[in-house]
Amino acid sequence: MSQLLAGKTALVLGVANRWSLAYAIAQAFAREGAKLILTYQGDRQKLTVEEMAADLKAHRALPCDVTKDDDLAQLTNELKHDGTVLNSVVHSIAFGDLSRPLAETSRGSFAQALDISAYSLVAVAHQTAPFMAGGGSILTLTYLGATRVVENYNVMGVAKAALEASVRYLASDLGPSNIRVNAISAGAVKTVSARGVRDFSKMLEAAAHVAPLRRNTDPAEVADAAVFLASDLGRGVTGNILFVDAGMQIMGFARSEQC
Ligand code: NAP
């Protein structure tokens, strides 16, 4: 059977463990024949990510803390050294202190959440676009909390709003180079990052009752949508926020006994 990403090279940032959405995406990309380059934030993650890279038969695993310009420059040096031509970049990175309501968020926490979760997409796009000479796809991950108030999502909602606006502006800037920029708005999935949202398990339970498909989102569904966007099938799609959330985003008020 033909593979949708055969002959394509993908850089995937944000594989922390086997529960990461980036891991599901990397698995699906490997299944579809992509050559993978993974990144990890620092030495703490090096061994784990190298093990996963070996399982996925990835070409390389490289360090990259997106808050450090030197790390981003080093990453591009490595790509240059390898003579890499990239077709796809997956940015699956976020961090913020969600312990307080937005109204009580400090300047420092606000800046940190926006830097790691939104600006990093701009920085990554800037550094990697030159490696997409024939065009390509940049994909990030967002959440409904960007446009609706989701209890306990706090400053991350503001960061995701900035991320989604960045998707649109980057799509406009990079479109003339045939580089498409999109986001998948994933439904809630239990990952390490998600555990930072207070009462996340209750949120999952409620979503499974309320979402039109009456279930939670499977990371493999997010990954298959990522394959579509990275492949030639997605060639006409840019600046888009694609919801893969069992339909949760269309729901307004839900009967209280359902959740
Ligand atoms: P995850 O496995 O914890 O992934 C988050 C990743 O961000 C980790 O690999 C983490 O690396 C990385 N990261 C944080 N700070 C970084 C930095 N300074 N430099 C480089 N990497 C950094 O959780 P996930 O749920 O898969 O999250 C992936 C993306 O999906 C995030 O953008 C998240 O907001 C989004 N999303 C998640 C859900 C959900 O319900 N899980 C729903 C919608 C959207 P370390 O582990 O090394 O810190």
mmCIF file of all heavy atoms in Angstrom, residues 79 140 156 186 207:
data_model
loop_
_atom_site.group_PDB
_atom_site.id
_atom_site.type_symbol
_atom_site.label_atom_id
_atom_site.label_comp_id
_atom_site.label_asym_id
_atom_site.label_seq_id
_atom_site.Cartn_x
_atom_site.Cartn_y
_atom_site.Cartn_z
ATOM 1 N N LEU A 79 20.980 20.503 11.173
ATOM 2 C CA LEU A 79 20.209 20.214 9.955
ATOM 3 C C LEU A 79 21.032 20.572 8.719
ATOM 4 O O LEU A 79 21.060 19.837 7.732
ATOM 5 C CB LEU A 79 18.884 20.997 9.951
ATOM 6 C CG LEU A 79 17.872 20.657 11.070
ATOM 7 C CD1 LEU A 79 16.638 21.557 10.963
ATOM 8 C CD2 LEU A 79 17.451 19.191 11.020
ATOM 9 N N THR A 140 1.020 22.923 14.530
ATOM 10 C CA THR A 140 1.107 23.036 15.980
ATOM 11 C C THR A 140 -0.165 22.465 16.614
ATOM 12 O O THR A 140 -1.123 22.131 15.913
ATOM 13 C CB THR A 140 1.364 24.498 16.411
ATOM 14 O OG1 THR A 140 1.618 24.533 17.818
ATOM 15 C CG2 THR A 140 0.179 25.404 16.092
ATOM 16 N N MET A 156 -3.018 29.487 30.038
ATOM 17 C CA MET A 156 -2.754 28.712 28.810
ATOM 18 C C MET A 156 -3.792 29.041 27.730
ATOM 19 O O MET A 156 -3.490 28.972 26.536
ATOM 20 C CB MET A 156 -2.729 27.218 29.122
ATOM 21 C CG MET A 156 -2.189 26.355 27.994
ATOM 22 S SD MET A 156 -0.548 26.845 27.386
ATOM 23 C CE MET A 156 0.466 26.363 28.767
ATOM 24 N N ALA A 186 -6.896 19.747 19.538
ATOM 25 C CA ALA A 186 -7.182 18.383 20.007
ATOM 26 C C ALA A 186 -8.133 18.416 21.196
ATOM 27 O O ALA A 186 -8.080 19.337 22.019
ATOM 28 C CB ALA A 186 -5.875 17.695 20.401
ATOM 29 N N ALA A 207 -16.334 15.590 29.238
ATOM 30 C CA ALA A 207 -16.257 15.694 27.771
ATOM 31 C C ALA A 207 -16.813 14.429 27.121
ATOM 32 O O ALA A 207 -17.507 14.497 26.103
ATOM 33 C CB ALA A 207 -14.818 15.941 27.337
#
